[in-house]
Amino acid sequence: MIVDARVLREGFVPSELEHRDGEVDHLSGVLEPVTRGEPAGPAIITGPSGAGKTCVARYTVEQLREQHLDVASQYVNCWQNYSRFRTLYRVLEGLGKTVDIHRRSTPHDELLERLREYEGPPCVVVLDEADQLETPDALYDLHSLDGFSLVLIANREADLFAGADDRLASRLQGSERIQFDRYGLDELTAILRARARRGLAADAVTTDQLRTVADAAAGDARVAISILRSAARHAERAETGRITDAILDAAVPAGRSAVHRKNIETLTPHQRALYDVIAEAGTIDPSSLYTAYRDAVDDPKTDRTVRNYLSKMVQYDLVEAEGASSDRTYRVVDPTADARETTSGNQS
DNA sequence: GTTCCACTGGAAGACTAGGTTT
DNA sequence: AAACCTAGTCTTCCAGTGGAAC
């Protein structure tokens, strides 16, 4: 029943984009100078998660490279490569210049030096989730190098500038802005239709069903595709030949929690223990949390470290913190709950 | 209004793991 | 082998915040 699983995978970039022509044109316009070997100004792409930001950026850069031989590019997800070192390392990796660089003993300056020495064709660097960078150093580094053109992706522009000092902020101020909005119901349905056509057998799913998926995903294409993928897998395993309504119903929460589960798996044992304590308590105040955590593990970390873990989990959208100082409480996020307009929801 | 208290999160330095040089 | 690098993690210290008790 599944004809081509790649199409339903996270990070798949289709050969034709639906409903994002304007944004693609805008971005390729901004990057146009690199086709003449000139540096292009930075572009800042913002919008809610699942609005197609990453997809458009990768697609546009891909097109650019197809049409012009002398363009290099590298995509870096700053969520995973949040330090200056890792970001620069990734960029060098894309240029094939990391052969003799080792993780622990090479200083930042060495990486920067290599980037400076780079003399190949202009390179478009896409920094996805750029607001997740620990420090803006990497932005600064890359921005100051002529051979590299930056495309920065973030949920909100304010997050991007939060960590930047005045100098960097004012330099980025002149960037071209490309704003994405949530997909509408019809648009999202069309996107699912296109994926289903390529990825699934002909009669595997009806348009009505796709509409249901699109509706459940509330404008988030990533969630929508995750739901469809989950449903398709179940149908395949159950050998029903097509996606039934019952399978689809079950797939909605499963699709929604897929990202959540993946995030939980990235937690260290200590972080996991902390998460479990919160999950078990439902809602818990900080001092009880610290105590329960200390009881739950051998050789517990300090409270300060626990607070760092907590803020990481809040960023991952695994845990919610409510209240400012003395009336703070923590609770785990329920991934199967209906999509909420208020939360930023951010993962790759 | 003042003091107390619980809590947060920034800064600086110690520690660890991995890698290189002598 | 030992001495010396570095990035990343963790701890120590502490200023700041806001609610509660006095």
Side-chain angles (χ1 to χ4, degrees), chain A residues 75-115:
Chain A
Y75 170 86
V76 181
N77 187 320
C78 299
W79 190 286
Q80 283 128 32
N81 304 282
Y82 51 84
S83 70
R84 181 189 185 188
F85 184 92
R86 286 189 197 170
T87 303
L88 296 181
Y89 185 89
R90 281 269 169 217
V91 176
L92 277 169
E93 197 172 50
L95 303 173
K97 296 206 166 194
T98 46
V99 212
D100 55 343
I101 292 185
H102 298 284
R103 261 188 75 244
R104 295 275 183 177
S105 58
T106 312
H108 288 127
D109 294 349
E110 173 72 24
L111 301 197
L112 198 54
E113 201 44 49
R114 296 224 183 172
L115 288 169

Side-chain angles (χ1 to χ4, degrees), chain A residues 184-194 207 210-212 214-215:
Chain A
L185 187 58
D186 293 337
E187 294 172 338
L188 204 45
T189 308
I191 288 168
L192 289 171
R193 181 81 269 170
T207 301
L210 292 178
R211 229 182 145 71
T212 307
D215 187 47

Side-chain angles (χ1 to χ4, degrees), chain A residues 61-78:
Chain A
V61 171
E62 218 29 64
Q63 292 264 300
L64 211 61
R65 296 193 61 185
E66 268 174 34
Q67 289 157 18
H68 303 274
L69 288 174
D70 284 341
V71 175
S73 75
Q74 179 63 355
Y75 170 86
V76 181
N77 187 320
C78 299

Side-chain angles (χ1 to χ4, degrees), chain A residues 19 37 78 84 105 114-115 135 138 149 202 263 285 317 327 340:
Chain A
H19 302 292
C78 299
R84 181 189 185 188
S105 58
R114 296 224 183 172
L115 288 169
T135 68
S149 301
N263 282 344
D285 62 280
D317 219 6
D327 59 345
R340 294 132 295 157

